[in-house]
Amino acid sequence: MDARQRARMMVAHTVFQALRSADFRNDTPETNASGERVIVPALLDDTMGEFFDQFVAAQGTIYIAALEGTDVVVITMAPAHTARHAAPSEEECPIHRRTELAMVIEYLRARRRPVKFCEAPSNVLLELVDERPAVQV
Amino acid sequence: MSKQKGRAQERGLAVMSPAEPLLEVRWKPDPGSFRDEYFKFPLLGMGQFTGRQGLDIDTGRLVDFSISAQVEVYGLWHNVARVDTAHQDVHLHQLSRTGASIAITVLWPIFGPQDVDRGWVEGERLLIANWDEHVRRWRGGR
């Protein structure tokens, strides 16, 4: 294993430990088309295109987990459902396939609401798990 | 020997009898008392972990599990090693290219949910720490 692979395995280890906790499982409830909870152990300089490929393969929601120091940051990548006749959004999207994960985390923190991933052929919503509102409506 | 002295000696005698065998009562969760949740951890450029958590319906406690380390070859995923709680033990299986177990290491017996939880911690540690070795052995056909 090279240094990046070791770092990725460290994230995987952290996710394994987190998955023992009911709170973590409750925060990551969605599964893919096969009924699996998909969590991608990520490094902060991984690019979004790699996660999008995982999202396409999963055919459903995936979670991206990374370490910031000793803290685990989790992002949800979920199918976005828009109304069939909704007007296209004028909002500029700063996230592209080559955008690094660290930038996306910072952007989501600053924005404090989900963001759409623009280069996807299907709509994808990105959201920070730990900054979700306590009650989903 | 007087009767009194004989009784005194008799009281001081050690009882020499076979030791009673220790009962090893292994534990497994009652069928229907837990639900299965499945997971997958894709490891970009390396492979993936997949598996199952058996969670007690009332408490959410981990009572059963399986974790597999997998590599992809020509679009198909293959198990190279697995840790599970079958047969009331925590086992590490090393798997061949045909999927058969070529080595089974019993990590410890399961006497309660605490042993399952300990098995999850040690099992994932073994799969991660020995990832290279498991993959090399599997690719080498051993």
Side-chain angles (χ1 to χ4, degrees), chain A residues 38-103:
Chain A
V38 179
I39 305 176
V40 185
L43 305 182
L44 292 172
D45 60 353
D46 284 338
T47 53
M48 294 308 292
E50 297 175 279
F51 305 126
F52 178 66
D53 293 342
Q54 293 294 328
F55 172 79
V56 171
Q59 299 177 44
T61 298
I62 67 169
Y63 298 95
I64 302 162
L67 286 178
E68 280 187 328
T70 55
D71 295 334
V72 186
V73 183
V74 180
I75 289 180
T76 307
M77 197 178 225
H81 303 290
T82 49
R84 287 179 65 186
H85 303 294
S89 171
E90 297 290 323
E91 200 172 6
E92 186 185 352
C93 175
I95 298 174
H96 304 277
R97 286 188 66 90
R98 291 166 66 181
T99 308
E100 292 186 357
L101 178 61
M103 294 173 65

Side-chain angles (χ1 to χ4, degrees), chain A residues 6 12-13 27 37 40-41 45 53 57-58 62 66-67 75 78 91 97 104 110-113 115 118 129-132:
Chain A
R6 278 197 297 277
H13 165 70
D27 282 344
R37 177 186 278 115
V40 185
D45 60 353
D53 293 342
I62 67 169
L67 286 178
I75 289 180
E91 200 172 6
R97 286 188 66 90
V104 175
R111 185 180 154 106
R112 303 185 70 82
R113 60 194 167 102
V115 64
C118 302
V129 167
D130 59 357
E131 292 182 8
R132 278 181 176 171

Side-chain angles (χ1 to χ4, degrees), chain A residues 1-2 4-6 8-10 12-17 19-20 22 25 31-32 34-42 46 50-51 54, chain B residues 35 37-46 49-51 53 55 59-62 67 117-118 120-121 124-125 127-132:
Chain A
M1 268 190 267
D2 60 26
R4 285 186 66 80
Q5 291 173 329
R6 278 197 297 277
R8 198 175 301 284
M9 283 300 198
M10 178 57 71
H13 165 70
T14 306
V15 175
F16 268 118
Q17 296 312 304
L19 206 54
R20 294 163 65 205
R25 293 193 300 267
T31 59
N32 67 1
S34 305
E36 298 163 313
R37 177 186 278 115
V38 179
I39 305 176
V40 185
D46 284 338
E50 297 175 279
F51 305 126
Q54 293 294 328
Chain B
R35 69 177 186 281
E37 292 192 1
Y38 296 87
F39 66 86
K40 180 190 288 183
F41 299 167
L43 303 162
L44 303 181
M46 298 177 72
F49 290 115
T50 65
Q53 288 183 304
L55 301 168
T59 64
R61 190 167 188 179
L62 184 69
I67 307 172
D117 190 61
R118 198 159 58 101
W120 174 272
V121 173
E124 65 92 358
R125 192 194 68 77
L127 291 176
I128 286 176
N130 300 315
W131 176 273
D132 280 348

Side-chain angles (χ1 to χ4, degrees), chain B residues 34-132:
Chain B
F34 65 95
R35 69 177 186 281
D36 286 330
E37 292 192 1
Y38 296 87
F39 66 86
K40 180 190 288 183
F41 299 167
L43 303 162
L44 303 181
M46 298 177 72
Q48 66 183 16
F49 290 115
T50 65
R52 176 182 60 81
Q53 288 183 304
L55 301 168
D56 185 276
I57 289 171
D58 294 326
T59 64
R61 190 167 188 179
L62 184 69
V63 294
D64 192 36
F65 74 83
S66 168
I67 307 172
S68 294
Q70 298 185 325
V71 293
E72 185 182 19
V73 178
Y74 298 120
L76 294 175
W77 289 98
H78 301 269
N79 292 330
V80 298
R82 184 177 73 240
V83 177
D84 63 40
T85 53
H87 310 298
Q88 296 162 294
D89 286 320
V90 182
H91 302 92
L92 169 66
H93 298 256
Q94 296 182 53
L95 302 161
S96 73
R97 296 188 78 131
T98 64
S101 283
I102 54 174
I104 301 176
T105 308
V106 176
L107 302 184
W108 50 73
I110 296 171
F111 296 115
Q114 71 283 357
D115 294 320
V116 177
D117 190 61
R118 198 159 58 101
W120 174 272
V121 173
E122 180 65 6
E124 65 92 358
R125 192 194 68 77
L126 287 173
L127 291 176
I128 286 176
N130 300 315
W131 176 273
D132 280 348

